[in-house]
Amino acid sequence: MAQGGYMSGIFGTSPVSPLQKHMSKVYACATELIPLFNAVINEDWNEVARLQKLISDLEREADVLKKALRLNLPKGLFMPVSRQDLLEVLLMQDKIANKAKDIAGTILGRHMTLPDSIQVDYIRFVERCVAACKQARKAINEFDELVETGFSGREIDIVTEMINKLDSIESETDTLQAEIRSKIFTIEKDLPPIEVIFLYKVIEATGDVADRAQNVGSRLQLMLAR
């Protein structure tokens, strides 16, 4: 298919749909962190390698969508939203996929394992971080409705409610992260120091997935307030 035909197929008349497509790809990328960490717990390194490649491929596909949207975003948008706002949301979505890719790469590269005492908590933590991404995607999927209603009426209440729920999920991930860090602190002396350093890095990066999802919601909220 010719490049122009491909682009018009993606874009149609509004940049909202490609933004939503990008967020769906980003969410697909983040979701794979759940089976990845399960494979880490099982020390199934073939499965970890397969999932790391899948996450990397999905991140690359998200990157293609991001670049296409940037290149084809009309200069003069007749919409109640600025070009800059759309690009900011796109950037924040992009950071979620980048973070998932970084986590998977670090884990595979170092064959990292999780101490027994945090394994159950960690899966719960990852699941809630992915839930934050899902909630961000849900809010972005309402974007076209917001545009159609000119950012007014009942639709604003619906999206505000979604963003509030996203904030609540992110707050939950902060609590889970603090509990996991506390458990590691009690066993630090029994672990190789370099492993402890990387463990804390991966915990922080996992929490960043939820933080970046919340950033998507915060940006949407700013747009609602204008």
Side-chain angles (χ1 to χ4, degrees):
M1 187 188 284
Q3 183 75 359
Y6 171 70
M7 289 309 167
S8 62
I10 291 182
F11 284 90
T13 54
S14 165
V16 172
S17 172
L19 189 73
Q20 291 169 334
K21 283 190 176 79
H22 180 262
M23 186 63 206
S24 288
K25 190 67 73 176
V26 164
Y27 172 62
C29 185
T31 302
E32 297 303 332
L33 288 172
I34 299 170
L36 179 94
F37 277 102
N38 274 307
V40 168
I41 288 167
N42 296 328
E43 296 189 40
D44 181 348
W45 294 107
N46 287 335
E47 181 65 356
V48 170
R50 185 188 74 79
L51 288 161
Q52 184 274 333
K53 184 181 184 308
L54 177 57
I55 288 170
S56 186
D57 288 347
L58 288 166
E59 188 274 339
R60 198 174 302 115
E61 288 166 22
D63 230 31
V64 170
L65 291 171
K66 176 191 73 176
K67 285 171 184 163
L69 177 49
R70 274 183 176 164
L71 287 170
N72 292 272
L73 195 58
K75 287 284 192 288
L77 287 176
F78 295 100
M79 290 170 59
V81 55
S82 75
R83 189 171 186 274
Q84 187 57 37
D85 280 335
L86 283 170
L87 289 171
E88 287 284 343
V89 172
L90 180 67
L91 179 66
M92 284 156 190
Q93 291 179 176
D94 185 52
K95 285 180 176 179
I96 298 170
N98 289 346
K99 192 55 69 171
K101 180 186 169 186
D102 290 348
I103 292 165
T106 301
I107 283 170
L108 180 64
R110 295 194 57 83
H111 276 214
M112 285 181 69
T113 54
L114 295 177
D116 292 351
S117 61
I118 68 162
Q119 288 178 357
V120 172
D121 290 343
Y122 212 96
I123 295 302
R124 171 76 180 153
F125 175 45
V126 177
E127 285 172 347
R128 294 316 284 158
C129 289
V130 171
C133 298
K134 186 177 186 179
Q135 189 65 16
R137 185 191 62 162
K138 204 172 168 185
I140 289 294
N141 282 344
E142 290 295 317
F143 208 163
D144 44 358
E145 299 289 332
L146 280 170
V147 169
E148 279 170 29
T149 59
F151 279 69
S152 63
R154 171 82 183 116
E155 192 59 31
I156 283 201
D157 297 335
I158 292 168
V159 177
T160 300
E161 206 172 300
M162 287 179 179
I163 293 167
N164 289 341
K165 184 169 181 200
L166 171 54
D167 289 345
S168 166
I169 295 168
E170 194 278 334
S171 177
E172 207 182 318
T173 67
D174 284 345
T175 304
L176 290 166
Q177 182 172 345
E179 287 168 2
I180 290 167
R181 289 175 70 98
S182 176
K183 283 188 177 179
I184 289 172
F185 182 70
T186 63
I187 58 166
E188 260 183 24
K189 61 184 181 301
D190 305 321
L191 299 169
I194 193 78
E195 287 306 308
V196 172
I197 290 166
F198 277 95
L199 201 47
Y200 279 128
K201 277 181 185 290
V202 165
I203 292 164
E204 188 176 343
T206 305
D208 282 347
V209 169
D211 292 344
R212 282 157 172 48
Q214 186 188 34
N215 288 344
V216 171
S218 299
R219 193 74 208 181
L220 258 183
Q221 201 156 32
L222 268 178
M223 289 156 72
L224 296 181
R226 282 179 187 167

